[in-house]
């Protein structure tokens, strides 16, 4: 299995009470593109399918929740530079919860929160 491409993840779902703000946050941070899931929209669900810049494959989704549900996110993104990504996250209204400088055996990584308060991880893969 090859290493993940930078600024990508395998699959995910992020939910919050302001799907437009989440779309803006992730679109500006990683260059992700969004399309309304027409099937779910027909059922009244605000779900946006995510694809990465230069790739049309659907790889995740953003869900608007307006029923009092708690926002959530569970995923990890490979980035070129954890320190730079942390600075951008804070500039976009997010928060760095815990940052770790890696070693020979482990990568630089951080747990961060997006503009809606959802927790996710970032890391820089070790060079082979």
């Amino acid at each position: 299995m090859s290493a993940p491409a930078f600024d990508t993840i395998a699959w995910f779902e992020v939910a919050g009470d302001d799907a437009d703000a989440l779309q803006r946050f992730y679109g500006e941070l990683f260059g992700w593109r969004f399309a309304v899931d027409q099937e779910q929209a027909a059922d009244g669900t605000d779900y946006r399918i995510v694809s990465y810049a230069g790739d049309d494959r659907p790889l995740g989704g953003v869900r608007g929740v307006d029923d009092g549900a708690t926002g959530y996110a569970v995923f990890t993104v490979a980035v070129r530079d954890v320190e730079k990504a942390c600075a951008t996250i804070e500039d976009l209204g997010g928060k760095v919860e815990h940052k770790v400088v890696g070693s020979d055996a482990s990568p630089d990584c951080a747990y961060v929160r997006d503009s809606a308060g959802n927790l996710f991880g970032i890391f820089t893969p070790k060079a082979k």
Side-chain angles (χ1 to χ4, degrees):
M1 176 185 239
S2 63
F6 289 114
D7 300 330
T8 66
I9 55 179
W11 187 263
F12 63 89
E13 184 173 276
V14 179
D17 61 358
D18 188 343
D20 291 330
L22 287 170
Q23 180 174 323
R24 182 176 60 254
F25 180 89
Y26 289 107
E28 289 181 24
L29 179 61
F30 298 124
W32 293 350
R33 294 175 295 127
F34 299 81
V36 172
D37 183 317
Q38 297 297 332
E39 189 173 308
Q40 291 198 43
D43 292 334
T45 300
D46 183 0
Y47 198 87
R48 297 144 194 229
I49 300 296
V50 175
S51 59
Y52 303 137
D55 188 349
D56 290 331
R57 292 176 298 155
L59 297 164
V62 168
R63 179 176 172 255
V65 294
D66 58 6
D67 57 3
T70 302
Y72 58 88
V74 180
F75 58 88
T76 303
V77 177
V79 298
R80 286 177 178 79
D81 183 327
V82 167
E83 191 69 35
K84 183 176 178 183
C86 285
T88 302
I89 287 162
E90 289 178 330
D91 288 346
L92 292 170
K95 180 180 178 186
V96 176
E97 290 289 333
H98 182 72
K99 186 170 35 174
V100 176
V101 175
S103 65
D104 289 341
S106 63
D108 291 348
C109 60
Y111 286 108
V112 297
R113 292 191 181 274
D114 66 21
S115 59
N118 295 309
L119 185 68
F120 68 100
I122 58 174
F123 76 106
T124 300
K126 299 299 275 182
K128 291 185 178 188

